[in-house]
Amino acid sequence: MNRVYYFILSAILLLSCCSQKSEKSSSAETKPKARQAAPDFKADSAYAYIGKQAAFGPRVPNTKAHKDCGDYLTAELKRFGAEIFIQEATLTAYNGTSLQARNIIGAYHPEREKRIMLFAHWDSRPYADHDPDETNHRTPILGVDDGASGVGVLLEIARLLQQKSPDGVGIDILFFDAEDYGTPEFVTDNQKENTWCLGSQFWAKNPHVPNYKAEYGILLDMVGAKNATFYKEMISMRYAARYVDLLWNTARDLGYGKFFIHAPGTAVTDDHLYVIQGRNIPCVDIINYDPESDTGFGHYWHTLNDTMENIDRETLKAVGQTVLQVIYDN
Ligand SMILES: [Zn+2]
């Protein structure tokens, strides 16, 4: 993912003003309902799923590690009782490279009309183009927080969904591919747009179920770092304010207010943008944002330091338990 340039964002916002009804943030609509019992999110379990992905090495499309990890994720969702949908596609990267990509989807209660989609990207970036050492800029990153953390949290949620599903709602877990193959910083003459989030762009045009619709979606991206701070990402606020409030208020009620900050964040080009634009589904991006850093992200972002050392179980628990509570309260 990357930060959105403000002029692009304004153009998107302007367009959307003309083309669709805006999502209103209203305190009346987000009045808390009685809490339902949600299962206990096991951070140890999520941590292990993250470690397992990291052990494959960088999951860059067209590599063996990528293929093996995709097989692993498919097998895990199957083991946790989801109905599996695999989307294979050849996608074109910023530099013309053909990427053998795979979106991996697990559906719970696919017959239910009311649905919530939970998603993350499972590929990792081919370039450490923000590494302090310039000689590393063309080296693939391990993508532990940036990629594996969101998937790890969702695998633990999948495990719990098999044991006890929330009433009245079907949950779809989507692992999007080729999110992080966007134009690298060292390429300055590339004018191609929309080079990030290739898997979700493909899915938005070709959903795994015809006319797929969900009430809303939650994207988890970089949700595992120690002392992570989740600010209210700007595109999420524009299109899904009531669900942002629902998540942030739930986090506060559960005692995770130090992670979920009640303040606006930046706008991020991430998979949620294409789901919102392509399928008109309001989506929230839960993403670690550091207002103090130059990039807006953690010091390890798009460097060779995006490793297991940054991952903290307390953060995984805060995110996983909050998302679970919201979907069981649905
Ligand atoms: Zn990234």
Side-chain angles (χ1 to χ4, degrees), residues 23-35 232 240-250 252-253 262 329:
E23 185 74 32
K24 285 258 159 45
S25 168
S26 147
S27 52
E29 283 177 284
T30 55
K31 209 175 276 172
K33 288 189 277 186
R35 289 265 179 262
K232 298 176 172 182
R242 62 181 288 195
Y243 300 106
V244 173
D245 288 344
L246 183 63
L247 280 155
W248 264 247
N249 291 343
T250 300
R252 180 200 58 208
D253 295 350
H262 279 275
D329 280 344

Short mmCIF file of all heavy atoms in Angstrom, two decimals, residues 23-35 232 240-250 252-253 262 329:
data_model
loop_
_atom_site.label_atom_id
_atom_site.label_comp_id
_atom_site.label_asym_id
_atom_site.label_seq_id
_atom_site.Cartn_x
_atom_site.Cartn_y
_atom_site.Cartn_z
N GLU A 23 -22.01 7.97 2.56
CA GLU A 23 -22.25 7.24 3.81
C GLU A 23 -22.24 8.28 4.92
O GLU A 23 -21.24 8.96 5.14
CB GLU A 23 -21.13 6.22 3.98
CG GLU A 23 -21.28 5.29 5.15
CD GLU A 23 -22.34 4.23 4.91
OE1 GLU A 23 -22.53 3.81 3.75
OE2 GLU A 23 -22.97 3.85 5.89
N LYS A 24 -23.31 8.43 5.60
CA LYS A 24 -23.38 9.46 6.65
C LYS A 24 -22.91 8.90 7.99
O LYS A 24 -23.25 7.80 8.37
CB LYS A 24 -24.82 9.96 6.77
CG LYS A 24 -25.22 10.89 5.63
CD LYS A 24 -25.18 12.33 6.08
CE LYS A 24 -25.08 13.32 4.93
NZ LYS A 24 -25.98 13.05 3.82
N SER A 25 -22.15 9.70 8.68
CA SER A 25 -21.77 9.32 10.03
C SER A 25 -22.82 9.88 10.97
O SER A 25 -22.97 11.09 11.09
CB SER A 25 -20.40 9.89 10.37
OG SER A 25 -20.16 9.75 11.73
N SER A 26 -23.55 9.02 11.61
CA SER A 26 -24.57 9.51 12.51
C SER A 26 -24.49 8.73 13.80
O SER A 26 -24.45 7.51 13.82
CB SER A 26 -25.94 9.35 11.84
OG SER A 26 -26.91 9.07 12.84
N SER A 27 -24.47 9.45 14.89
CA SER A 27 -24.31 8.77 16.18
C SER A 27 -25.55 7.91 16.47
O SER A 27 -25.45 6.89 17.12
CB SER A 27 -24.08 9.77 17.29
OG SER A 27 -25.10 10.74 17.25
N ALA A 28 -26.70 8.32 15.93
CA ALA A 28 -27.92 7.54 16.15
C ALA A 28 -27.79 6.15 15.55
O ALA A 28 -28.25 5.16 16.12
CB ALA A 28 -29.11 8.26 15.54
N GLU A 29 -27.12 6.08 14.39
CA GLU A 29 -27.01 4.80 13.70
C GLU A 29 -26.01 3.86 14.37
O GLU A 29 -26.03 2.67 14.15
CB GLU A 29 -26.55 5.03 12.26
CG GLU A 29 -27.65 5.53 11.35
CD GLU A 29 -27.10 5.82 9.98
OE1 GLU A 29 -26.43 6.85 9.82
OE2 GLU A 29 -27.32 5.00 9.09
N THR A 30 -25.09 4.42 15.15
CA THR A 30 -24.05 3.58 15.71
C THR A 30 -24.25 3.34 17.22
O THR A 30 -23.34 2.97 17.90
CB THR A 30 -22.67 4.22 15.48
OG1 THR A 30 -22.70 5.54 16.02
CG2 THR A 30 -22.32 4.26 14.02
N LYS A 31 -25.47 3.60 17.67
CA LYS A 31 -25.76 3.35 19.09
C LYS A 31 -25.44 1.89 19.40
O LYS A 31 -25.89 0.99 18.70
CB LYS A 31 -27.25 3.63 19.35
CG LYS A 31 -27.53 4.10 20.78
CD LYS A 31 -29.00 4.49 20.95
CE LYS A 31 -29.26 5.90 20.50
NZ LYS A 31 -30.68 6.24 20.48
N PRO A 32 -24.66 1.64 20.44
CA PRO A 32 -24.25 0.26 20.67
C PRO A 32 -25.43 -0.64 21.02
O PRO A 32 -26.30 -0.27 21.81
CB PRO A 32 -23.27 0.36 21.84
CG PRO A 32 -23.50 1.70 22.45
CD PRO A 32 -24.09 2.58 21.41
N LYS A 33 -25.46 -1.82 20.40
CA LYS A 33 -26.47 -2.81 20.75
C LYS A 33 -25.91 -3.63 21.92
O LYS A 33 -24.75 -3.50 22.28
CB LYS A 33 -26.71 -3.74 19.55
CG LYS A 33 -27.45 -3.06 18.42
CD LYS A 33 -27.85 -4.06 17.36
CE LYS A 33 -26.73 -4.35 16.39
NZ LYS A 33 -27.07 -5.19 15.27
N ALA A 34 -26.75 -4.48 22.48
CA ALA A 34 -26.26 -5.36 23.55
C ALA A 34 -25.16 -6.24 22.98
O ALA A 34 -25.28 -6.76 21.87
CB ALA A 34 -27.40 -6.20 24.08
N ARG A 35 -24.07 -6.39 23.70
CA ARG A 35 -22.96 -7.20 23.25
C ARG A 35 -23.32 -8.68 23.20
O ARG A 35 -23.92 -9.20 24.14
CB ARG A 35 -21.78 -7.03 24.20
CG ARG A 35 -21.13 -5.68 24.09
CD ARG A 35 -19.96 -5.75 23.15
NE ARG A 35 -19.33 -4.45 23.01
CZ ARG A 35 -19.56 -3.62 22.01
NH1 ARG A 35 -20.40 -3.93 21.05
NH2 ARG A 35 -18.95 -2.47 21.94
N LYS A 232 -8.09 6.67 12.18
CA LYS A 232 -9.25 6.50 11.29
C LYS A 232 -8.86 6.92 9.87
O LYS A 232 -8.83 8.11 9.54
CB LYS A 232 -10.42 7.32 11.82
CG LYS A 232 -10.88 6.87 13.19
CD LYS A 232 -11.99 7.73 13.75
CE LYS A 232 -12.56 7.12 15.02
NZ LYS A 232 -13.68 7.92 15.58
N ALA A 240 -17.24 4.77 4.83
CA ALA A 240 -17.72 3.76 5.78
C ALA A 240 -17.62 4.27 7.21
O ALA A 240 -17.29 3.52 8.13
CB ALA A 240 -16.92 2.47 5.62
N ALA A 241 -17.96 5.56 7.41
CA ALA A 241 -17.75 6.19 8.72
C ALA A 241 -18.47 5.43 9.84
O ALA A 241 -17.93 5.28 10.94
CB ALA A 241 -18.19 7.64 8.68
N ARG A 242 -19.67 4.96 9.56
CA ARG A 242 -20.42 4.31 10.65
C ARG A 242 -19.74 3.02 11.09
O ARG A 242 -19.80 2.64 12.26
CB ARG A 242 -21.88 4.06 10.27
CG ARG A 242 -22.07 3.13 9.10
CD ARG A 242 -23.55 2.96 8.79
NE ARG A 242 -24.22 2.14 9.81
CZ ARG A 242 -25.42 1.61 9.65
NH1 ARG A 242 -26.09 1.82 8.54
NH2 ARG A 242 -25.96 0.88 10.60
N TYR A 243 -19.05 2.35 10.15
CA TYR A 243 -18.37 1.10 10.51
C TYR A 243 -17.02 1.39 11.17
O TYR A 243 -16.56 0.61 12.02
CB TYR A 243 -18.23 0.20 9.28
CG TYR A 243 -19.58 -0.15 8.70
CD1 TYR A 243 -20.03 0.43 7.52
CD2 TYR A 243 -20.44 -1.01 9.38
CE1 TYR A 243 -21.30 0.15 7.01
CE2 TYR A 243 -21.70 -1.30 8.89
CZ TYR A 243 -22.13 -0.72 7.70
OH TYR A 243 -23.39 -0.99 7.21
N VAL A 244 -16.41 2.50 10.79
CA VAL A 244 -15.20 2.93 11.50
C VAL A 244 -15.57 3.19 12.96
O VAL A 244 -14.91 2.69 13.88
CB VAL A 244 -14.61 4.22 10.87
CG1 VAL A 244 -13.46 4.75 11.73
CG2 VAL A 244 -14.13 3.96 9.44
N ASP A 245 -16.65 3.93 13.16
CA ASP A 245 -17.07 4.25 14.53
C ASP A 245 -17.41 2.97 15.30
O ASP A 245 -17.05 2.84 16.47
CB ASP A 245 -18.28 5.18 14.51
CG ASP A 245 -17.89 6.59 14.08
OD1 ASP A 245 -16.67 6.89 14.09
OD2 ASP A 245 -18.79 7.37 13.71
N LEU A 246 -18.09 2.06 14.62
CA LEU A 246 -18.46 0.80 15.27
C LEU A 246 -17.20 0.05 15.76
O LEU A 246 -17.13 -0.40 16.90
CB LEU A 246 -19.23 -0.06 14.25
CG LEU A 246 -19.78 -1.40 14.71
CD1 LEU A 246 -20.82 -1.20 15.81
CD2 LEU A 246 -20.42 -2.13 13.52
N LEU A 247 -16.20 -0.05 14.89
CA LEU A 247 -14.97 -0.75 15.25
C LEU A 247 -14.22 -0.02 16.36
O LEU A 247 -13.78 -0.63 17.34
CB LEU A 247 -14.08 -0.91 14.02
CG LEU A 247 -14.47 -2.06 13.09
CD1 LEU A 247 -13.98 -1.81 11.67
CD2 LEU A 247 -13.93 -3.40 13.60
N TRP A 248 -14.06 1.29 16.20
CA TRP A 248 -13.25 2.05 17.17
C TRP A 248 -13.96 2.10 18.53
O TRP A 248 -13.30 2.01 19.58
CB TRP A 248 -12.95 3.45 16.62
CG TRP A 248 -11.62 3.56 15.94
CD1 TRP A 248 -10.55 4.30 16.38
CD2 TRP A 248 -11.19 2.92 14.71
NE1 TRP A 248 -9.49 4.16 15.50
CE2 TRP A 248 -9.85 3.32 14.48
CE3 TRP A 248 -11.78 2.06 13.81
CZ2 TRP A 248 -9.11 2.89 13.36
CZ3 TRP A 248 -11.06 1.62 12.70
CH2 TRP A 248 -9.75 2.03 12.50
N ASN A 249 -15.29 2.22 18.52
CA ASN A 249 -16.03 2.24 19.80
C ASN A 249 -15.98 0.88 20.47
O ASN A 249 -15.87 0.78 21.69
CB ASN A 249 -17.48 2.67 19.57
CG ASN A 249 -17.57 4.13 19.16
OD1 ASN A 249 -16.62 4.90 19.35
ND2 ASN A 249 -18.70 4.51 18.59
N THR A 250 -16.07 -0.17 19.66
CA THR A 250 -15.99 -1.53 20.21
C THR A 250 -14.61 -1.76 20.84
O THR A 250 -14.49 -2.29 21.94
CB THR A 250 -16.27 -2.57 19.11
OG1 THR A 250 -17.58 -2.34 18.59
CG2 THR A 250 -16.18 -3.99 19.64
N ARG A 252 -12.61 0.45 22.04
CA ARG A 252 -12.56 1.22 23.30
C ARG A 252 -13.27 0.46 24.42
O ARG A 252 -12.75 0.31 25.52
CB ARG A 252 -13.20 2.60 23.07
CG ARG A 252 -13.21 3.50 24.30
CD ARG A 252 -14.25 4.58 24.14
NE ARG A 252 -15.58 4.00 23.92
CZ ARG A 252 -16.56 4.58 23.26
NH1 ARG A 252 -16.40 5.78 22.73
NH2 ARG A 252 -17.74 3.98 23.12
N ASP A 253 -14.48 -0.05 24.11
CA ASP A 253 -15.26 -0.76 25.14
C ASP A 253 -14.54 -2.02 25.62
O ASP A 253 -14.72 -2.44 26.77
CB ASP A 253 -16.63 -1.17 24.58
CG ASP A 253 -17.49 0.04 24.25
OD1 ASP A 253 -17.10 1.17 24.63
OD2 ASP A 253 -18.54 -0.13 23.60
N HIS A 262 -8.83 7.63 18.44
CA HIS A 262 -9.97 8.40 17.94
C HIS A 262 -9.49 9.69 17.29
O HIS A 262 -9.70 10.79 17.79
CB HIS A 262 -10.95 8.70 19.08
CG HIS A 262 -11.86 7.56 19.38
ND1 HIS A 262 -13.03 7.33 18.68
CD2 HIS A 262 -11.77 6.55 20.28
CE1 HIS A 262 -13.62 6.24 19.15
NE2 HIS A 262 -12.87 5.74 20.11
N ASP A 329 -21.64 -9.19 17.01
CA ASP A 329 -22.69 -8.23 17.38
C ASP A 329 -23.59 -7.88 16.20
O ASP A 329 -24.62 -7.25 16.40
CB ASP A 329 -22.07 -6.90 17.84
CG ASP A 329 -21.59 -6.95 19.26
OD1 ASP A 329 -22.00 -7.88 19.99
OD2 ASP A 329 -20.81 -6.06 19.67
#
